[in-house]
Amino acid sequence: MTSFNSFHIVFYLTAFFLSLTTFIFTLIQRRTDRLQNVLYFCLLGIVIINSTTEIINDLMFEYSAFTDIALFGYKLCQFLYFLFHTAMAPVFLIYEMSVTGALRKRTTKELNLIMTPFVITEFLVIINPWTHWVYYYDSEQVFHRGWGEYFIYMVAALYIIIAMFSLMVRWNAINRKKRFTLLYFFGVTVGGILIQAIFKNLKTELFAEALGIMGVMLSIESEDDRLEQMTGVYNRVALQQDLKNYDMTETKYTIISLRIKNIDSMTKKTGSLDDDNFNLKLTDFLKTLVQRYYIYDVNRGQYVIAVPTTDSTKDNLLNTTFRRFEPSLSCDTIRDRIVERFKEPWEIERTSLSLEAAVMVVKCPSEAADRNEVFDLLNNPIPRNITQDVFEGDDLKYIRRRSEVEKAIMRGVKNKSFEVYYQPSYNLQTLKMHGAEALVRLNDKKLGFIPPDEFIKVAEQIGLVGDIDDFVLHDVCTLIKDGILEIGEMDCINVNLSIVQFENEDFPQHLCNIVDEYGIDHSKICFEITETVESEDYRKLNEAIVFLKDKGFTFSMDDFGTGYSNVSSSLMLDFDQVKIDKSVLWEAEKSTLGMVVFENTIRMIRQTNRSIVVEGVETENQLNVLKKMNVDYLQGYYFSKPVPKQRFVTLVEISRQE
Ligand code: C2E
Ligand code: CA
Ligand code: CA
């Protein structure tokens, strides 16, 4: 008898130490705040309590024949074992539902229904001291099973079957690791139960449960791969996993994205070390709005709060029983609090920084169908000229369009499906053709025609404008090589360059190389650049211009007078030509003040000895006004819209015959 008991104790001790170890490591990780974590703790608690009662139980049994206290202790432990162990399967079912996301769909009524068999079994255990239905002791104090115990086993089996079924239904909603772990848990515990049922003296049940639970800790509860170690919030991968789960379980959710627009200027001011400080400060602030586990750090300076919305039925479990695990603020309040907070400066290591935040609110699936669309929206850079700080509802259409345009540009670059149009310019005195401006077009299979005003900006932001400008330059070179300028007795063709490209030191040489492939005279190409307030590095830009002018190219300053350009510093740059923006001409026609601005603009440029082009000439009236002005060239719909290359060639040939 004695030898058998110590044999049991080995199993119980192992189960005890295994689960204790698991318990300690779970505590060390300090991930105990989610509903899932709490349920896990319950499971762990049950195994620890059960192995403890089993150990005491066995020890007491040794002495139960001698003292009444030992006998009482022995029976009490047996009772406690049943009391707690009966809860194991149902708690596991709830845990499994919380991991797979199934819990989000269940109502309190349904939970009560699911828990009814459990309550009955617990009741049986509680009344057993009087009824002896579950187990009893004979006159020799030997333990015997009653029908109640078989009933309890059947109920447990029922819970395990439901849990298995629930797992199968949500199979694709969770990742492989979680699936495997849950299956492992099923396998190992059912194995342990079966072995114990067949060989009564092999007490493998608790031991197997402890093993299974340890597996769950290692793979599901430990979220090292999902967590930002420093701040304790989730990372981008976690967001992908969680949104996938919401999508697959058809759970509605709201995304609140927070992006620091001027994150780079912060680093400039404080150094990268303080990035960490700021990160901590910001996540601490977000944690005052929602629980840690709803926050994701997706990129440098970009954070997301993803809140699944439970079914609006009041009765939903997560609105009632498990309410405290849900966010207490509404998404609107969270959004407002963020906006408010960014009106105040951030104190980081004695530096006070005012940061600009763009907040985007996306409701899924009504505003973004699935996680892919959400990530499209999250990945989109916010255009610099947008000052708005909240994007929601209809604003999203704009951002979405942008991401569509982005894809169209990538397709266009890949399939070389851009086309170059040409718009002639005319000499004001002779009204003969003087040159032409090359203007790119994108006709996308999916989106149709996209105006360059829209896609050039986007191409700049995604770093593809270089490919577009190269494509245009090649087209222009071919045209010049074919002798278009000679046919039309014209001076040059204007090619637009995006200023962002001058950030690359090798860019000027790159342009030379392209043109030299065609062996044409550099003076036949005039580069147009729009100088903006944002372009800070005048020195670098001017060096590039001087270099290219040295090689024989000419330069035209585009969009002069649009307010984007910084008049005094832009006139310091070494341009040959200034193109007055169409808006200046149009204003001149509308008001006397506009006319004053127009006339003075012309006078000012004249004093710097540059030739002047006026664009946007649409009417005869405008032409007549311009004839009295001291400008050189005109461009506009009055003469011709930008036209496809073939059409342009014809135009040139006709103009020659006139
Ligand atoms: P931009 O360089 O100021 O080009 C002039 C724009 O004014 C062209 O628009 C042209 O079609 C339009 N325009 C010309 N005359 C008239 C007129 O009489 N009335 C009106 N309403 N508009 C007129 P487009 O072709 O849509 O180009 C828009 C902008 O896209 C360009 O402005 C330029 O900044 C950019 N862009 C176009 N092609 C290229 C390119 O190859 N490379 C780069 N980097 N940017 C380009
Ligand atoms: Ca231009
Ligand atoms: Ca222009």
Side-chain angles (χ1 to χ4, degrees):
M1 197 64 158
T2 309
S3 66
F4 265 138
N5 273 337
S6 47
F7 183 55
H8 296 172
I9 281 189
V10 174
F11 281 106
Y12 299 144
L13 276 177
T14 325
F16 175 77
F17 282 116
L18 262 183
S19 45
L20 188 68
T21 309
T22 312
F23 183 78
I24 291 168
F25 278 86
T26 312
L27 278 186
I28 287 176
Q29 290 190 331
R30 279 196 277 154
R31 303 294 165 229
T32 51
D33 46 354
R34 301 178 69 170
L35 173 58
Q36 179 190 315
N37 304 146
V38 173
L39 291 168
Y40 179 74
F41 259 99
C42 292
L43 285 175
L44 201 49
I46 292 171
V47 179
I48 293 177
I49 291 172
N50 280 168
S51 39
T52 313
T53 55
E54 287 294 68
I55 291 164
I56 302 174
N57 190 31
D58 264 13
L59 292 176
M60 291 295 175
F61 186 76
E62 301 282 312
Y63 304 101
S64 60
F66 311 115
T67 73
D68 283 350
I69 296 178
L71 186 63
F72 176 74
Y74 162 68
K75 289 187 173 176
L76 179 68
C77 283
Q78 196 73 268
F79 177 76
L80 289 177
Y81 176 85
F82 275 97
L83 193 67
F84 283 97
H85 199 254
T86 307
M88 186 82 190
V91 174
F92 182 75
L93 171 66
I94 307 288
Y95 176 75
E96 183 268 350
M97 285 167 75
S98 143
V99 171
T100 57
L103 210 52
R104 238 161 234 299
K105 302 280 167 166
R106 301 278 77 94
T107 62
T108 313
K109 261 197 205 121
E110 286 166 325
L111 182 75
N112 290 344
L113 189 71
I114 293 176
M115 288 297 122
T116 308
F118 163 63
V119 173
I120 295 172
T121 51
E122 283 294 1
F123 184 68
L124 283 181
V125 173
I126 291 168
I127 59 171
N128 188 64
W130 298 277
T131 60
H132 307 302
W133 287 338
V134 181
Y135 60 87
Y136 59 94
Y137 304 95
D138 60 19
S139 52
E140 256 136 59
Q141 302 299 356
V142 177
F143 174 88
H144 291 281
R145 292 174 176 176
W147 61 267
E149 183 169 353
Y150 296 101
F151 178 71
I152 289 175
Y153 268 106
M154 270 159 56
V155 170
L158 178 73
Y159 281 117
I160 290 178
I161 289 167
I162 297 175
M164 282 283 254
F165 182 72
S166 161
L167 176 63
M168 294 307 148
V169 170
R170 317 253 155 191
W171 191 249
N172 290 321
I174 54 173
N175 63 19
R176 247 187 45 226
K177 197 167 94 174
K178 285 186 183 170
R179 262 182 249 155
F180 175 80
T181 311
L182 290 173
L183 279 184
Y184 173 79
F185 184 85
F186 284 131
V188 104
T189 46
V190 170
I193 293 170
L194 286 181
I195 293 175
Q196 182 163 340
I198 298 166
F199 310 99
K200 291 218 166 55
N201 276 318
L202 293 180
K203 300 291 185 191
T204 48
E205 186 175 334
L206 267 179
F207 170 57
E209 284 164 2
L211 259 185
I213 271 191
M214 183 173 248
V216 172
M217 172 197 73
L218 290 175
S219 118
I220 299 180
E221 290 295 305
S222 146
E223 297 192 297
D224 282 353
D225 48 346
R226 288 167 45 92
L227 279 170
E228 289 289 330
Q229 294 304 331
M230 194 177 62
T231 53
V233 302
Y234 287 138
N235 58 22
R236 196 183 174 89
V237 176
L239 182 64
Q240 258 150 353
Q241 289 171 347
D242 293 350
L243 295 193
K244 179 175 178 198
N245 177 274
Y246 300 156
D247 283 346
M248 303 299 262
T249 53
E250 292 181 1
T251 304
K252 294 185 181 133
Y253 55 99
T254 304
I255 298 283
I256 303 169
S257 139
L258 159 67
R259 214 175 321 186
I260 318 293
K261 291 200 263 188
N262 52 350
I263 185 90
D264 289 321
S265 75
M266 180 188 89
T267 320
K268 267 185 211 155
K269 280 193 194 123
T270 62
S272 62
L273 201 85
D274 287 345
D275 246 27
D276 291 347
N277 281 330
F278 172 69
N279 211 353
L280 273 172
K281 255 215 152 109
L282 185 75
T283 42
D284 279 348
F285 162 66
L286 294 178
K287 284 181 206 166
T288 64
L289 306 175
V290 281
Q291 290 90 330
R292 154 196 83 79
Y293 45 85
Y294 290 116
I295 308 171
Y296 303 80
D297 181 343
V298 286
N299 251 334
R300 183 161 171 270
Q302 190 178 12
Y303 304 83
V304 163
I305 293 175
V307 186
T309 10
T310 40
D311 288 344
S312 50
T313 37
K314 296 258 161 41
D315 181 33
N316 189 294
L317 262 183
L318 299 165
N319 288 334
T320 51
T321 320
F322 300 128
R323 180 80 204 115
R324 73 182 186 85
F325 298 98
E326 298 290 294
S328 56
L329 301 176
S330 73
C331 289
D332 286 351
T333 315
I334 296 172
R335 172 203 62 201
D336 294 344
R337 295 261 173 100
I338 295 174
V339 172
E340 281 303 309
R341 177 63 189 85
F342 275 83
K343 288 182 181 154
E344 306 288 317
W346 294 81
E347 308 293 335
I348 293 148
E349 300 255 307
R350 275 172 270 123
T351 328
S352 172
L353 292 174
S354 35
L355 294 169
E356 291 162 33
V359 181
M360 182 169 72
V361 185
V362 190
K363 298 202 168 60
C364 305
S366 60
E367 294 174 336
D370 58 12
R371 62 192 176 285
N372 295 330
E373 287 196 14
V374 169
F375 273 94
D376 270 353
L377 288 169
L378 292 178
N379 292 341
N380 255 313
I382 299 160
R384 282 201 203 157
N385 49 352
I386 296 270
T387 49
Q388 201 175 343
D389 48 10
V390 176
F391 298 84
E392 57 190 343
D394 279 350
D395 308 331
L396 300 176
K397 281 189 198 139
Y398 160 80
I399 300 181
R400 181 162 304 121
R401 161 82 181 173
R402 195 188 170 292
S403 98
E404 288 293 312
V405 169
E406 211 172 89
K407 286 179 199 148
I409 295 169
M410 294 194 232
R411 279 194 291 271
V413 168
K414 197 167 145 233
N415 311 329
K416 294 215 182 318
S417 59
F418 291 97
E419 195 184 344
V420 185
Y421 275 39
Y422 291 86
Q423 186 181 31
S425 58
Y426 293 81
N427 196 311
L428 176 71
Q429 300 306 322
T430 59
L431 288 186
K432 284 179 81 174
M433 231 186 241
H434 153 262
E437 177 176 6
L439 292 157
V440 71
R441 299 288 177 260
L442 174 54
N443 203 348
D444 183 62
K445 273 182 276 154
K446 195 168 155 209
L447 299 189
F449 180 81
I450 309 168
D453 276 334
E454 185 175 10
F455 74 79
I456 292 287
K457 254 185 290 162
V458 180
E460 283 178 349
Q461 282 160 347
I462 61 176
L464 288 181
V465 78
D467 297 77
I468 298 173
D469 284 353
D470 286 0
F471 175 81
V472 175
L473 187 57
H474 278 288
D475 199 75
V476 169
C477 289
T478 320
L479 197 61
I480 294 176
K481 196 181 160 91
D482 291 347
I484 190 81
L485 295 177
E486 287 75 20
I487 300 172
E489 290 173 353
M490 296 185 290
D491 289 347
C492 61
I493 305 254
N494 285 24
V495 176
N496 291 287
L497 292 180
S498 173
I499 196 159
V500 298
Q501 300 201 70
F502 285 95
E503 276 160 27
N504 178 0
E505 308 252 334
D506 303 327
F507 182 59
Q509 188 57 53
H510 169 77
L511 291 175
C512 284
N513 295 346
I514 293 182
V515 178
D516 289 343
E517 277 176 40
Y518 296 84
I520 54 180
D521 190 351
H522 292 178
S523 69
K524 291 179 175 171
I525 291 177
C526 176
F527 291 120
E528 290 191 11
I529 302 174
T530 306
E531 186 276 334
T532 62
V533 201
E534 286 155 32
S535 43
E536 286 162 17
D537 205 346
Y538 282 103
R539 198 189 46 79
K540 203 164 165 184
L541 179 60
N542 206 42
E543 269 173 19
I545 293 175
V546 169
F547 173 86
L548 286 166
K549 283 189 60 159
D550 225 38
K551 300 269 181 197
F553 296 98
T554 54
F555 275 86
S556 177
M557 182 183 299
D558 208 351
D559 297 346
F560 193 82
T562 45
Y564 284 122
S565 54
N566 181 340
V567 173
S568 60
S569 42
S570 60
L571 283 175
M572 312 253 254
L573 294 166
D574 201 2
F575 284 93
D576 308 272
Q577 185 182 70
V578 175
K579 260 183 130 164
I580 299 177
D581 192 70
K582 42 188 178 281
S583 61
V584 182
L585 170 67
W586 297 345
E587 279 304 315
E589 203 184 16
K590 269 196 257 165
S591 71
T592 356
L593 180 63
M595 184 54 93
V596 171
V597 172
F598 187 45
E599 283 173 344
N600 280 290
T601 305
I602 294 171
R603 188 168 313 130
M604 181 170 70
I605 303 169
R606 268 291 167 242
Q607 282 169 0
T608 65
N609 282 323
R610 286 150 162 119
S611 63
I612 301 178
V613 187
V614 177
E615 62 175 18
V617 185
E618 291 187 342
T619 62
E620 180 133 25
N621 188 38
Q622 286 167 346
L623 178 63
N624 292 332
V625 171
L626 285 161
K627 274 183 179 156
K628 292 180 217 125
M629 304 278 186
N630 189 9
V631 301
D632 305 286
Y633 310 110
L634 306 176
Q635 181 181 345
Y637 291 178
Y638 175 76
F639 302 99
S640 167
K641 286 196 170 182
V643 292
K645 181 153 74 178
Q646 221 31 62
R647 174 96 190 98
F648 173 64
V649 174
T650 322
L651 268 182
V652 173
E653 282 161 356
I654 295 170
S655 83
R656 177 67 187 275
Q657 288 152 18
E658 276 168 359

